[in-house]
Amino acid sequence: MVYLLGGWQSDFSANWSREGIGLADAFADTVRNGLAATALDADEIDTGHVGNFAAELFAGQGLLGGFFGLVDPAFDGLPTARHEAACASGSVAVLAASAEIDAGRYDLACVAGIEQMRNVPGRVAAQHLGAAAWAGYEYEDAEYVWPRAFSDLGDEYERRHGLKYEHLARIAEINFANAKRNPNAQTRGHVFSDASFTEEDEANPVIEGRIRKTDCGQVTDGAAVVFLASPKRAAEYAAKRGIPLDSLPRITGWGHRSAPIGYAAKIAASAGQDYVFPQVRRAILDARARAGVSGIAQIDAVETHDCFTTTEYMAIDHLGLTPPGQSWQAIEDGSIEIGGRLPVNPSGGLIGLGHPVGATGVRMLLDAHKQVTGGAGDYQVEGARRVQTLNIGGSATTTVSFIVEREAA
Protein backbone atom coordinates (compact mmCIF):
# COMPACT_ATOMS: atom_id res chain seq x y z
CA MET A 1 0.00 0.00 0.00
CA VAL A 2 1.24 3.47 -0.90
CA TYR A 3 0.15 6.72 0.76
CA LEU A 4 -0.16 10.01 -1.11
CA LEU A 5 1.07 12.88 1.06
CA GLY A 6 0.26 15.71 -1.35
CA GLY A 7 2.21 17.91 -3.72
CA TRP A 8 2.09 21.03 -5.86
CA GLN A 9 1.55 22.14 -9.47
CA SER A 10 2.68 25.14 -11.45
CA ASP A 11 0.39 27.67 -13.07
CA PHE A 12 -0.40 26.08 -16.43
CA SER A 13 -1.03 29.46 -18.06
CA ALA A 14 2.67 30.35 -17.86
CA ASN A 15 4.91 30.61 -20.90
CA TRP A 16 8.32 29.78 -19.51
CA SER A 17 10.45 30.97 -22.41
CA ARG A 18 8.72 34.38 -22.43
CA GLU A 19 9.26 34.63 -18.69
CA GLY A 20 12.92 33.63 -18.93
CA ILE A 21 12.35 30.37 -17.08
CA GLY A 22 14.34 27.31 -18.15
CA LEU A 23 13.23 23.70 -17.84
CA ALA A 24 15.59 23.09 -14.93
CA ASP A 25 14.42 26.26 -13.16
CA ALA A 26 10.78 25.17 -13.44
CA PHE A 27 11.63 21.70 -12.17
CA ALA A 28 13.51 23.00 -9.14
CA ASP A 29 10.79 25.54 -8.31
CA THR A 30 8.09 22.85 -8.51
CA VAL A 31 9.88 20.40 -6.23
CA ARG A 32 10.75 23.11 -3.69
CA ASN A 33 7.15 24.29 -3.62
CA GLY A 34 6.00 20.69 -3.25
CA LEU A 35 8.30 20.14 -0.28
CA ALA A 36 6.96 23.30 1.34
CA ALA A 37 3.32 22.39 0.66
CA THR A 38 3.75 18.99 2.33
CA ALA A 39 6.06 20.22 5.13
CA LEU A 40 8.79 17.81 4.05
CA ASP A 41 12.54 18.40 4.06
CA ALA A 42 14.73 17.42 1.14
CA ASP A 43 16.85 15.13 3.31
CA GLU A 44 13.76 13.03 4.08
CA ILE A 45 13.33 11.94 0.44
CA ASP A 46 14.70 8.49 -0.40
CA THR A 47 14.21 8.36 -4.19
CA GLY A 48 13.25 10.63 -7.08
CA HIS A 49 11.38 9.98 -10.34
CA VAL A 50 10.60 12.23 -13.31
CA GLY A 51 7.89 11.84 -15.93
CA ASN A 52 8.74 13.57 -19.21
CA PHE A 53 8.02 12.83 -22.86
CA ALA A 54 10.09 14.98 -25.19
CA ALA A 55 12.52 17.31 -23.44
CA GLU A 56 15.19 16.31 -25.96
CA LEU A 57 12.98 17.63 -28.79
CA PHE A 58 11.53 20.75 -27.14
CA ALA A 59 14.51 21.81 -25.04
CA GLY A 60 17.51 19.76 -26.21
CA GLN A 61 17.69 18.25 -22.74
CA GLY A 62 17.91 14.65 -21.59
CA LEU A 63 18.86 12.98 -18.29
CA LEU A 64 16.21 14.85 -16.31
CA GLY A 65 16.85 12.76 -13.20
CA GLY A 66 19.92 14.96 -12.76
CA PHE A 67 17.66 17.95 -12.16
CA PHE A 68 17.02 16.76 -8.59
CA GLY A 69 20.61 17.75 -7.75
CA LEU A 70 19.72 21.36 -8.61
CA VAL A 71 16.88 21.51 -6.08
CA ASP A 72 18.72 21.11 -2.79
CA PRO A 73 22.22 20.00 -1.69
CA ALA A 74 20.55 17.14 0.22
CA PHE A 75 19.60 15.56 -3.13
CA ASP A 76 23.24 14.99 -4.08
CA GLY A 77 23.45 11.19 -4.17
CA LEU A 78 19.69 10.66 -4.41
CA PRO A 79 18.79 7.69 -6.67
CA THR A 80 16.74 9.07 -9.56
CA ALA A 81 15.25 8.01 -12.89
CA ARG A 82 13.35 9.56 -15.81
CA HIS A 83 10.36 7.76 -17.40
CA GLU A 84 8.78 8.15 -20.85
CA ALA A 85 5.41 6.86 -22.05
CA ALA A 86 4.20 9.81 -24.13
CA CYS A 87 1.20 11.44 -22.40
CA ALA A 88 1.26 8.70 -19.73
CA SER A 89 4.86 9.47 -18.72
CA GLY A 90 3.88 10.96 -15.36
CA SER A 91 1.74 7.98 -14.41
CA VAL A 92 4.49 5.54 -15.38
CA ALA A 93 6.86 7.49 -13.11
CA VAL A 94 4.32 7.09 -10.29
CA LEU A 95 4.11 3.35 -10.99
CA ALA A 96 7.90 3.02 -10.75
CA ALA A 97 8.08 4.94 -7.48
CA SER A 98 5.18 2.94 -6.04
CA ALA A 99 6.88 -0.33 -6.99
CA GLU A 100 10.04 0.74 -5.17
CA ILE A 101 8.01 1.48 -2.05
CA ASP A 102 6.04 -1.78 -2.28
CA ALA A 103 9.33 -3.68 -2.69
CA GLY A 104 10.64 -2.15 0.52
CA ARG A 105 13.56 -0.40 -1.16
CA TYR A 106 12.51 3.09 -0.08
CA ASP A 107 9.93 4.72 2.18
CA LEU A 108 9.46 8.19 0.69
CA ALA A 109 9.49 9.07 -3.01
CA CYS A 110 9.31 12.37 -4.86
CA VAL A 111 7.65 12.08 -8.29
CA ALA A 112 7.73 15.09 -10.60
CA GLY A 113 6.24 15.47 -14.06
CA ILE A 114 7.29 18.24 -16.41
CA GLU A 115 7.01 19.41 -20.01
CA GLN A 116 7.95 22.60 -21.81
CA MET A 117 5.99 22.92 -25.06
CA ARG A 118 5.36 26.61 -25.77
CA ASN A 119 8.92 27.55 -26.72
CA VAL A 120 8.46 26.48 -30.38
CA PRO A 121 5.86 27.34 -33.07
CA GLY A 122 2.65 25.32 -32.98
CA ARG A 123 3.43 23.24 -36.07
CA VAL A 124 6.85 22.35 -34.68
CA ALA A 125 5.25 21.34 -31.38
CA ALA A 126 2.83 19.13 -33.30
CA GLN A 127 5.74 17.46 -35.09
CA HIS A 128 7.54 16.81 -31.81
CA LEU A 129 4.41 15.34 -30.24
CA GLY A 130 3.95 13.13 -33.29
CA ALA A 131 6.92 11.08 -32.08
CA ALA A 132 4.44 9.05 -30.01
CA ALA A 133 2.81 7.74 -33.19
CA TRP A 134 4.38 4.98 -35.30
CA ALA A 135 6.97 7.06 -37.11
CA GLY A 136 7.20 6.40 -40.82
CA TYR A 137 4.14 4.13 -40.82
CA GLU A 138 1.08 6.17 -39.90
CA TYR A 139 -0.33 9.66 -40.41
CA GLU A 140 2.49 10.69 -42.74
CA ASP A 141 0.00 12.86 -44.65
CA ALA A 142 -1.37 14.64 -41.55
CA GLU A 143 -0.37 18.20 -40.73
CA TYR A 144 -1.36 17.62 -37.10
CA VAL A 145 -0.91 13.97 -36.12
CA TRP A 146 -2.90 13.74 -32.93
CA PRO A 147 -5.96 15.74 -34.01
CA ARG A 148 -6.03 13.42 -37.03
CA ALA A 149 -5.71 10.25 -34.94
CA PHE A 150 -8.47 11.24 -32.54
CA SER A 151 -10.62 12.45 -35.40
CA ASP A 152 -10.29 8.88 -36.67
CA LEU A 153 -11.47 7.70 -33.25
CA GLY A 154 -14.57 9.84 -33.68
CA ASP A 155 -15.08 8.32 -37.11
CA GLU A 156 -14.86 4.86 -35.57
CA TYR A 157 -17.52 5.71 -33.00
CA GLU A 158 -19.71 7.06 -35.77
CA ARG A 159 -19.34 3.82 -37.76
CA ARG A 160 -20.05 1.59 -34.77
CA HIS A 161 -22.63 3.56 -32.84
CA GLY A 162 -23.32 6.97 -34.37
CA LEU A 163 -21.87 10.25 -33.10
CA LYS A 164 -23.17 13.81 -32.98
CA TYR A 165 -20.88 16.82 -32.82
CA GLU A 166 -23.15 18.49 -30.26
CA HIS A 167 -22.08 15.89 -27.69
CA LEU A 168 -18.39 16.49 -28.33
CA ALA A 169 -18.98 20.22 -28.10
CA ARG A 170 -20.72 19.82 -24.76
CA ILE A 171 -17.70 17.95 -23.37
CA ALA A 172 -15.51 20.90 -24.33
CA GLU A 173 -17.96 23.41 -22.89
CA ILE A 174 -18.07 21.59 -19.53
CA ASN A 175 -14.30 21.31 -19.27
CA PHE A 176 -13.70 24.96 -20.12
CA ALA A 177 -16.36 25.94 -17.54
CA ASN A 178 -14.71 23.77 -14.88
CA ALA A 179 -11.34 25.34 -15.70
CA LYS A 180 -12.67 28.78 -14.80
CA ARG A 181 -12.97 27.49 -11.22
CA ASN A 182 -9.32 26.38 -11.18
CA PRO A 183 -6.68 29.03 -10.33
CA ASN A 184 -3.97 27.01 -12.14
CA ALA A 185 -5.90 26.50 -15.39
CA GLN A 186 -4.35 27.65 -18.66
CA THR A 187 -7.74 28.73 -20.05
CA ARG A 188 -9.26 30.27 -16.93
CA GLY A 189 -9.32 33.67 -18.61
CA HIS A 190 -10.44 32.54 -22.05
CA VAL A 191 -13.64 34.03 -23.43
CA PHE A 192 -16.01 32.01 -25.61
CA SER A 193 -19.15 32.74 -27.55
CA ASP A 194 -22.04 30.35 -28.09
CA ALA A 195 -20.65 29.71 -31.56
CA SER A 196 -17.37 28.48 -30.06
CA PHE A 197 -19.06 25.17 -29.36
CA THR A 198 -20.66 24.65 -32.74
CA GLU A 199 -19.58 23.57 -36.23
CA GLU A 200 -19.33 27.23 -37.25
CA ASP A 201 -16.01 27.37 -39.10
CA GLU A 202 -15.03 30.92 -38.22
CA ALA A 203 -15.72 30.66 -34.48
CA ASN A 204 -14.53 27.06 -34.17
CA PRO A 205 -12.23 26.23 -37.09
CA VAL A 206 -11.41 22.70 -38.20
CA ILE A 207 -7.94 21.46 -37.19
CA GLU A 208 -8.05 17.97 -38.73
CA GLY A 209 -11.04 15.95 -39.86
CA ARG A 210 -13.87 16.30 -37.33
CA ILE A 211 -11.62 17.88 -34.68
CA ARG A 212 -12.16 21.61 -34.21
CA LYS A 213 -10.31 24.18 -32.13
CA THR A 214 -12.33 23.78 -28.91
CA ASP A 215 -12.10 19.98 -29.17
CA CYS A 216 -8.36 20.14 -28.46
CA GLY A 217 -6.32 19.87 -25.29
CA GLN A 218 -3.85 22.70 -24.72
CA VAL A 219 -0.18 23.05 -25.58
CA THR A 220 1.19 23.81 -22.15
CA ASP A 221 4.29 24.56 -20.11
CA GLY A 222 3.77 22.96 -16.74
CA ALA A 223 4.99 20.78 -13.91
CA ALA A 224 3.54 18.92 -10.95
CA VAL A 225 4.98 16.94 -8.07
CA VAL A 226 3.61 14.41 -5.57
CA PHE A 227 5.13 12.57 -2.62
CA LEU A 228 4.49 8.88 -2.02
CA ALA A 229 5.11 7.10 1.27
CA SER A 230 5.18 3.59 2.69
CA PRO A 231 2.75 2.78 5.52
CA LYS A 232 5.61 3.10 8.02
CA ARG A 233 6.68 6.49 6.72
CA ALA A 234 3.10 7.70 6.41
CA ALA A 235 2.43 6.74 10.04
CA GLU A 236 5.45 8.80 11.12
CA TYR A 237 4.26 11.72 8.98
CA ALA A 238 0.75 11.55 10.46
CA ALA A 239 2.03 11.26 14.04
CA LYS A 240 4.29 14.28 13.62
CA ARG A 241 1.27 16.32 12.51
CA GLY A 242 -1.11 14.92 15.10
CA ILE A 243 -3.54 13.49 12.57
CA PRO A 244 -4.93 9.94 12.16
CA LEU A 245 -3.11 7.76 9.65
CA ASP A 246 -6.39 6.89 7.95
CA SER A 247 -6.96 10.57 7.17
CA LEU A 248 -4.12 10.39 4.63
CA PRO A 249 -5.09 9.41 1.07
CA ARG A 250 -3.87 6.10 -0.31
CA ILE A 251 -3.33 4.71 -3.78
CA THR A 252 -5.39 1.57 -3.36
CA GLY A 253 -5.51 0.36 -6.95
CA TRP A 254 -3.62 0.64 -10.21
CA GLY A 255 -4.01 -0.61 -13.75
CA HIS A 256 -1.38 -0.52 -16.49
CA ARG A 257 -1.89 -1.92 -19.99
CA SER A 258 -0.23 -1.41 -23.35
CA ALA A 259 -1.31 -2.07 -26.93
CA PRO A 260 0.51 -2.01 -30.30
CA ILE A 261 1.79 1.44 -31.19
CA GLY A 262 -0.19 1.77 -34.43
CA TYR A 263 -3.74 3.12 -34.23
CA ALA A 264 -5.01 0.90 -37.07
CA ALA A 265 -3.80 -2.27 -35.34
CA LYS A 266 -5.76 -1.38 -32.21
CA ILE A 267 -8.95 -0.76 -34.16
CA ALA A 268 -8.56 -4.00 -36.10
CA ALA A 269 -8.01 -5.91 -32.86
CA SER A 270 -11.21 -4.54 -31.30
CA ALA A 271 -13.47 -5.24 -34.29
CA GLY A 272 -16.66 -6.90 -33.10
CA GLN A 273 -15.88 -6.21 -29.42
CA ASP A 274 -17.84 -4.02 -27.01
CA TYR A 275 -15.05 -1.50 -26.46
CA VAL A 276 -13.04 0.38 -29.07
CA PHE A 277 -9.92 0.18 -26.87
CA PRO A 278 -10.09 -3.06 -24.83
CA GLN A 279 -6.79 -2.37 -23.07
CA VAL A 280 -8.13 0.94 -21.76
CA ARG A 281 -11.10 -0.92 -20.34
CA ARG A 282 -8.79 -3.54 -18.79
CA ALA A 283 -6.62 -0.89 -17.11
CA ILE A 284 -9.72 0.71 -15.60
CA LEU A 285 -11.04 -2.60 -14.28
CA ASP A 286 -7.61 -3.71 -13.05
CA ALA A 287 -7.35 -0.57 -10.91
CA ARG A 288 -10.81 -1.15 -9.44
CA ALA A 289 -10.17 -4.83 -8.77
CA ARG A 290 -6.94 -4.07 -6.89
CA ALA A 291 -8.78 -1.42 -4.87
CA GLY A 292 -11.68 -3.74 -4.07
CA VAL A 293 -14.08 -1.48 -5.98
CA SER A 294 -16.92 -3.47 -7.50
CA GLY A 295 -18.37 -0.82 -9.79
CA ILE A 296 -18.46 2.75 -10.96
CA ALA A 297 -21.09 3.68 -8.36
CA GLN A 298 -18.29 3.52 -5.76
CA ILE A 299 -16.27 6.22 -7.55
CA ASP A 300 -16.96 9.86 -6.61
CA ALA A 301 -15.08 11.66 -9.39
CA VAL A 302 -12.78 10.99 -12.33
CA GLU A 303 -9.77 12.81 -13.74
CA THR A 304 -9.50 11.45 -17.27
CA HIS A 305 -7.49 11.98 -20.41
CA ASP A 306 -9.26 14.44 -22.70
CA CYS A 307 -6.49 15.35 -25.12
CA PHE A 308 -9.47 15.73 -27.46
CA THR A 309 -13.21 15.61 -26.90
CA THR A 310 -13.34 12.27 -28.72
CA THR A 311 -10.90 10.86 -26.14
CA GLU A 312 -13.20 11.80 -23.27
CA TYR A 313 -16.19 10.51 -25.23
CA MET A 314 -14.39 7.16 -25.40
CA ALA A 315 -13.44 7.30 -21.73
CA ILE A 316 -17.04 7.82 -20.61
CA ASP A 317 -18.24 4.44 -21.86
CA HIS A 318 -14.95 2.65 -21.10
CA LEU A 319 -15.29 3.84 -17.48
CA GLY A 320 -18.75 2.27 -17.43
CA LEU A 321 -20.81 5.41 -17.05
CA THR A 322 -22.89 4.18 -19.98
CA PRO A 323 -23.10 1.03 -22.08
CA PRO A 324 -20.55 0.86 -24.91
CA GLY A 325 -21.23 3.45 -27.58
CA GLN A 326 -23.76 5.34 -25.49
CA SER A 327 -21.53 8.03 -23.96
CA TRP A 328 -23.96 10.66 -25.20
CA GLN A 329 -26.41 9.62 -22.47
CA ALA A 330 -24.06 10.75 -19.66
CA ILE A 331 -23.45 14.03 -21.50
CA GLU A 332 -27.11 14.80 -22.07
CA ASP A 333 -28.27 13.93 -18.53
CA GLY A 334 -25.51 15.94 -16.81
CA SER A 335 -23.82 12.93 -15.20
CA ILE A 336 -20.30 14.20 -15.99
CA GLU A 337 -20.81 17.72 -14.64
CA ILE A 338 -19.85 18.89 -11.15
CA GLY A 339 -22.92 17.93 -9.11
CA GLY A 340 -23.73 15.09 -11.51
CA ARG A 341 -23.66 11.33 -10.99
CA LEU A 342 -19.90 11.11 -11.67
CA PRO A 343 -18.13 14.42 -12.24
CA VAL A 344 -15.47 14.06 -14.93
CA ASN A 345 -12.50 16.43 -14.96
CA PRO A 346 -13.66 18.88 -12.30
CA SER A 347 -10.18 20.41 -12.67
CA GLY A 348 -10.90 21.32 -16.30
CA GLY A 349 -8.90 18.40 -17.67
CA LEU A 350 -6.44 18.64 -20.54
CA ILE A 351 -8.83 20.81 -22.54
CA GLY A 352 -9.43 23.40 -19.84
CA LEU A 353 -6.63 23.09 -17.27
CA GLY A 354 -3.88 22.26 -19.77
CA HIS A 355 -1.71 19.37 -20.95
CA PRO A 356 2.03 19.57 -20.25
CA VAL A 357 2.48 16.03 -21.52
CA GLY A 358 4.94 14.57 -19.02
CA ALA A 359 3.23 16.25 -16.08
CA THR A 360 -0.37 15.22 -16.76
CA GLY A 361 -0.38 11.87 -14.94
CA VAL A 362 1.22 13.42 -11.86
CA ARG A 363 -1.20 16.36 -11.97
CA MET A 364 -4.17 13.97 -12.15
CA LEU A 365 -2.94 12.20 -9.02
CA LEU A 366 -2.48 15.53 -7.25
CA ASP A 367 -6.03 16.56 -8.17
CA ALA A 368 -7.29 13.23 -6.84
CA HIS A 369 -5.52 14.03 -3.56
CA LYS A 370 -7.11 17.49 -3.49
CA GLN A 371 -10.58 16.05 -4.06
CA VAL A 372 -10.46 13.37 -1.37
CA THR A 373 -8.99 15.77 1.20
CA GLY A 374 -11.47 18.53 0.42
CA GLY A 375 -8.72 20.77 -0.89
CA ALA A 376 -9.91 21.45 -4.45
CA GLY A 377 -11.39 24.85 -3.70
CA ASP A 378 -14.02 26.08 -6.16
CA TYR A 379 -13.89 22.86 -8.16
CA GLN A 380 -14.37 20.58 -5.16
CA VAL A 381 -16.75 17.63 -5.65
CA GLU A 382 -18.87 17.53 -2.52
CA GLY A 383 -18.21 14.48 -0.35
CA ALA A 384 -15.53 13.00 -2.63
CA ARG A 385 -13.67 10.16 -0.93
CA ARG A 386 -12.62 7.97 -3.88
CA VAL A 387 -11.30 9.26 -7.23
CA GLN A 388 -10.16 7.35 -10.31
CA THR A 389 -7.60 8.67 -12.78
CA LEU A 390 -7.24 7.57 -16.41
CA ASN A 391 -4.08 8.62 -18.25
CA ILE A 392 -3.43 7.61 -21.87
CA GLY A 393 -0.23 7.75 -23.94
CA GLY A 394 -0.33 7.84 -27.73
CA SER A 395 -3.41 6.40 -29.44
CA ALA A 396 -4.16 4.43 -26.25
CA THR A 397 -0.82 2.66 -26.65
CA THR A 398 -0.12 3.00 -22.91
CA THR A 399 -2.91 3.35 -20.37
CA VAL A 400 -2.52 3.86 -16.62
CA SER A 401 -5.31 4.22 -14.06
CA PHE A 402 -5.14 4.83 -10.31
CA ILE A 403 -7.68 4.72 -7.50
CA VAL A 404 -7.05 7.26 -4.75
CA GLU A 405 -9.14 7.18 -1.60
CA ARG A 406 -9.34 8.50 1.92
CA GLU A 407 -11.15 6.76 4.77
CA ALA A 408 -11.65 9.48 7.35
CA ALA A 409 -12.85 13.04 7.22
Side-chain angles (χ1 to χ4, degrees):
M1 182 185 301
V2 174
Y3 284 81
L4 180 56
L5 303 185
W8 189 84
Q9 79 161 91
S10 67
D11 181 349
F12 282 8
S13 70
N15 184 313
W16 292 341
S17 63
R18 289 181 183 174
E19 297 173 19
I21 299 170
L23 192 68
D25 299 323
F27 181 94
D29 185 63
T30 297
V31 175
R32 288 178 189 133
N33 276 292
L35 289 167
T38 51
L40 290 167
D41 294 325
D43 60 8
E44 297 181 80
I45 307 302
D46 298 323
T47 182
H49 292 266
V50 188
N52 174 268
F53 171 44
E56 290 88 349
L57 296 175
F58 282 98
Q61 179 67 62
L63 200 58
L64 270 61
F67 281 180
F68 278 100
L70 304 175
V71 175
D72 190 284
F75 282 161
D76 189 6
L78 186 76
T80 67
R82 181 264 191 101
H83 306 269
E84 186 277 309
C87 302
S89 297
S91 288
V92 169
V94 171
L95 284 171
S98 299
E100 286 188 325
I101 291 171
D102 284 336
R105 293 181 179 180
Y106 305 110
D107 288 308
L108 185 56
C110 174
V111 184
I114 189 166
E115 208 79 55
Q116 182 175 22
M117 303 165 62
R118 301 180 71 185
N119 58 331
V120 299
R123 281 182 171 79
V124 175
Q127 291 169 359
H128 292 344
L129 295 172
W134 191 9
Y137 290 90
E138 62 179 351
Y139 300 121
E140 292 292 288
D141 61 335
E143 185 173 7
Y144 298 103
V145 170
W146 292 117
R148 169 72 174 278
F150 285 95
S151 174
D152 285 357
L153 176 60
D155 292 346
E156 188 64 23
Y157 263 87
E158 184 166 38
R159 279 191 292 271
R160 295 190 188 193
H161 308 288
L163 179 64
K164 294 181 179 180
Y165 184 73
E166 66 194 65
H167 295 129
L168 300 181
R170 182 59 184 152
I171 287 173
E173 192 172 21
I174 291 168
N175 287 338
F176 281 121
N178 289 350
K180 289 191 176 297
R181 302 168 176 247
N182 189 335
N184 288 313
Q186 184 172 349
T187 71
R188 62 187 184 267
H190 287 199
V191 176
F192 301 96
S193 68
D194 291 341
S196 299
F197 303 102
T198 69
E199 295 178 275
E200 209 278 272
D201 288 345
E202 185 173 343
N204 195 18
V206 170
I207 305 301
E208 287 272 354
R210 66 171 64 237
I211 296 297
R212 294 175 176 270
K213 182 177 180 180
T214 57
D215 293 308
C216 299
Q218 304 305 309
V219 175
T220 309
D221 292 346
V225 64
V226 293
F227 297 90
L228 310 181
S230 68
K232 173 187 173 183
R233 186 65 183 83
E236 294 170 354
Y237 182 85
K240 185 176 180 180
R241 285 151 187 79
I243 58 175
L245 176 61
D246 62 7
S247 70
L248 295 178
R250 298 169 294 142
I251 300 174
T252 57
W254 55 272
H256 178 200
R257 298 284 180 171
S258 290
I261 193 168
Y263 171 83
K266 299 181 186 75
I267 297 304
S270 73
Q273 298 189 39
D274 288 341
Y275 295 97
V276 176
F277 290 138
Q279 302 309 334
V280 172
R281 177 67 173 167
R282 290 178 73 189
I284 290 165
L285 296 182
D286 287 346
R288 291 177 186 168
R290 290 184 172 111
V293 172
S294 60
I296 195 168
Q298 294 178 272
I299 305 295
D300 299 316
V302 167
E303 282 292 329
T304 196
H305 212 84
D306 59 321
C307 51
F308 300 94
T309 54
T310 51
T311 324
E312 183 171 329
Y313 193 89
M314 175 275 295
I316 289 169
D317 69 4
H318 284 54
L319 286 160
L321 256 169
T322 71
Q326 306 302 308
S327 298
W328 59 269
Q329 295 174 352
I331 299 165
E332 286 193 354
D333 69 15
S335 290
I336 65 172
E337 300 174 32
I338 294 177
R341 177 163 58 101
L342 183 67
V344 174
N345 289 341
S347 68
L350 286 61
I351 288 174
L353 170 55
H355 183 31
V357 171
T360 286
V362 179
R363 190 280 304 163
M364 286 178 172
L365 206 63
L366 178 59
D367 266 314
H369 177 280
K370 291 178 181 179
Q371 289 292 344
V372 301
T373 58
D378 289 343
Y379 62 99
Q380 178 69 46
V381 174
E382 186 176 356
R385 284 294 174 265
R386 183 182 287 122
V387 174
Q388 185 160 21
T389 70
L390 180 61
N391 189 200
I392 293 168
S395 55
T397 300
T398 300
T399 302
V400 181
S401 180
F402 293 109
I403 303 286
V404 175
E405 57 186 286
R406 182 190 186 207
E407 292 182 7

